[in-house]
Amino acid sequence: MSMLKIVINPNPLLRKIAEEVDLKAVGTKDFNKFLDSMMETMLAKDGVGLAAPQVNESIRVIVVNTKNGPLPMINPEIIKKSINKEWDEEGCLSVPHTFGQVKRYRTVICQFVDREGQKKKIEAKGFFARIIQHEIDHLDGILFIDKAKNIISDTYTL
Ligand code: ZN
């Protein structure tokens, strides 16, 4: 495992549409090493989620922190969303010192491939659903600041 460098906005890498992962790669030593490094980097940076484009890999992989530990999701796709949306505060490791209110679906059902190559489906609610939507946006070149209102920055230049 090793720490990965976080790509900081503005950087064109954060605006690219990420490529689907070829499932032949899933389960290989190199791919698992990459997933472990993503999880380690997210935890070391106190992040609740991380998308591969944020560590310089334009592929459809995200990791999200859950009650049961970090969960890697390969080729994640939201297949169902609630009608209800809610506003809450978000930040992003690629947009340091910046926070804003973003409206997200309250509940989503997400389909993905796990690190063993198995197809999975999970229902996520509240904060967990929010993280998944934020991270999948990264795979489509979208940053939370594109959608946020009341953006604040906690750094000041004197
Ligand atoms: Zn982010």
Side-chain angles (χ1 to χ4, degrees):
M1 285 198 276
S2 56
M3 283 280 287
L4 303 167
K5 201 169 175 286
I6 304 280
V7 176
I8 302 294
N9 181 57
N11 184 310
L13 257 162
L14 294 170
R15 296 306 188 173
K16 270 177 77 174
I17 308 281
E19 299 275 335
E20 289 264 321
V21 173
D22 181 346
L23 295 183
K24 284 199 289 273
V26 178
T28 63
K29 215 173 140 188
D30 279 351
F31 196 77
N32 283 335
K33 213 173 119 186
F34 174 66
L35 295 179
D36 289 341
S37 299
M38 272 189 78
M39 294 191 279
E40 187 192 352
T41 304
M42 174 185 71
L43 295 175
K45 301 277 182 192
D46 283 326
V48 288
L50 189 66
Q54 292 182 274
V55 291
N56 225 338
E57 292 289 340
S58 196
I59 55 172
R60 302 190 81 82
V61 175
I62 64 173
V63 293
V64 293
N65 209 357
T66 73
K67 280 181 296 204
N68 307 316
L71 173 69
M73 301 167 87
I74 299 154
N75 296 339
E77 201 183 330
I78 291 168
I79 55 170
K80 211 172 169 192
K81 331 171 215 207
S82 56
I83 295 163
N84 289 345
K85 289 183 170 182
E86 60 190 13
W87 293 93
D88 206 347
E89 188 175 79
E90 290 187 19
C92 180
L93 294 174
S94 294
V95 191
H97 310 296
T98 305
F99 302 91
Q101 293 286 320
V102 185
K103 199 178 192 181
R104 301 283 188 191
Y105 294 103
R106 171 85 182 76
T107 308
V108 295
I109 295 177
C110 185
Q111 180 179 285
F112 65 101
V113 172
D114 72 8
R115 66 186 294 153
E116 276 79 43
Q118 299 296 311
K119 229 178 190 179
K120 294 270 172 74
K121 229 184 251 182
I122 50 162
E123 186 180 52
K125 290 181 182 180
F127 191 58
F128 185 32
R130 174 171 297 275
I131 300 168
I132 288 175
Q133 291 168 79
H134 175 119
E135 301 310 332
I136 290 179
D137 270 356
H138 275 299
L139 306 182
D140 294 321
I142 298 164
L143 297 175
F144 85 97
I145 45 173
D146 304 343
K147 298 180 166 180
K149 67 172 191 186
N150 301 337
I151 296 175
I152 56 156
S153 170
D154 70 1
T155 47
Y156 299 93
T157 310
L158 297 175

